[in-house]
Amino acid sequence: TDFAVARYHTDGSLDTAFSSDGLATYDLAGGTDVARSIIIDTNGKYVLAGTAGSDFGMIRIETSGALDTSFSGDGIFTIDFNTTTETGYDVTLQTDGKFVVVGQTVLDFGIVRVQPSGVLDTDFAYGGKLSIDIGGGTTDEARAVKIDSQQRIVVIGIGGSVDFAAIRLLP
């Protein structure tokens, strides 16, 4: 199980200019990798986020389908919160080109900010990573992230296993 991407023409046929057949897979962690979100960055490159093994994972790929080696040296970046299970769910792009990825770190919201070069933004939170306990020891899942008009980070998801939860962070 790897990240998988397919690119289509507007008529529904595969675009063979992308990875020669319109399809591409990317192995991030050698185990189970699951892409859950895709955006296009300011340079027109595709950025995918999700889960790489038991960590958050990201890749940036060229429009040709090749990994962008200017991102994290090989196009692949994994983020470890040092918990047993971490699941990445969504990625968004700030106006300054930085990426924000959200998900779950065992029981908490997990939020990371990544530089355009594919390294943690150490000016954000605690070395680029933040865990927030919403439900007091029950399962919390950050499922979506957006940047508002004042560049604040808005995260929504599930708090306390069953409730809707929303947080807003300063940049």
Side-chain angles (χ1 to χ4, degrees):
T1 356
D2 297 328
F3 276 26
V5 179
R7 189 170 73 189
Y8 294 90
H9 293 290
T10 56
D11 67 3
S13 63
L14 285 168
D15 181 357
T16 57
F18 179 80
S19 191
S20 76
D21 61 0
L23 306 169
T25 59
Y26 308 91
D27 184 7
L28 279 66
T32 300
D33 305 322
V34 180
R36 290 191 175 86
S37 181
I38 185 170
I39 60 172
I40 299 173
D41 74 7
T42 56
N43 296 314
K45 298 177 182 182
Y46 306 110
V47 177
L48 285 77
T51 305
S54 61
D55 298 325
F56 283 23
M58 294 178 68
I59 63 170
R60 186 166 64 192
I61 55 178
E62 305 282 354
T63 57
S64 67
L67 285 167
D68 176 8
T69 58
S70 70
F71 183 76
S72 189
D74 61 1
I76 298 170
F77 184 59
T78 59
I79 303 108
D80 185 0
F81 278 85
N82 297 316
T83 63
T84 55
T85 306
E86 301 155 6
T87 305
Y89 283 109
D90 196 20
V91 61
T92 196
L93 183 65
Q94 296 186 165
T95 56
D96 60 3
K98 295 176 184 176
F99 305 100
V100 178
V101 180
V102 299
Q104 177 184 9
T105 65
V106 181
L107 298 175
D108 299 333
F109 273 25
I111 305 157
V112 297
R113 189 162 66 191
V114 179
Q115 295 281 0
S117 62
V119 297
L120 284 174
D121 178 7
T122 56
D123 291 334
F124 176 76
Y126 304 98
K129 302 183 280 188
L130 180 62
S131 259
I132 299 176
D133 183 4
I134 302 292
T138 58
T139 302
D140 305 323
E141 299 176 12
R143 290 295 189 111
V145 60
K146 298 292 181 207
I147 306 301
D148 74 9
S149 62
Q150 296 177 9
Q151 299 308 301
R152 296 174 296 197
I153 301 165
V154 180
V155 182
I156 62 167
I158 302 165
S161 299
V162 295
D163 296 323
F164 174 80
I167 61 170
R168 186 173 66 192
L169 304 170
L170 297 172

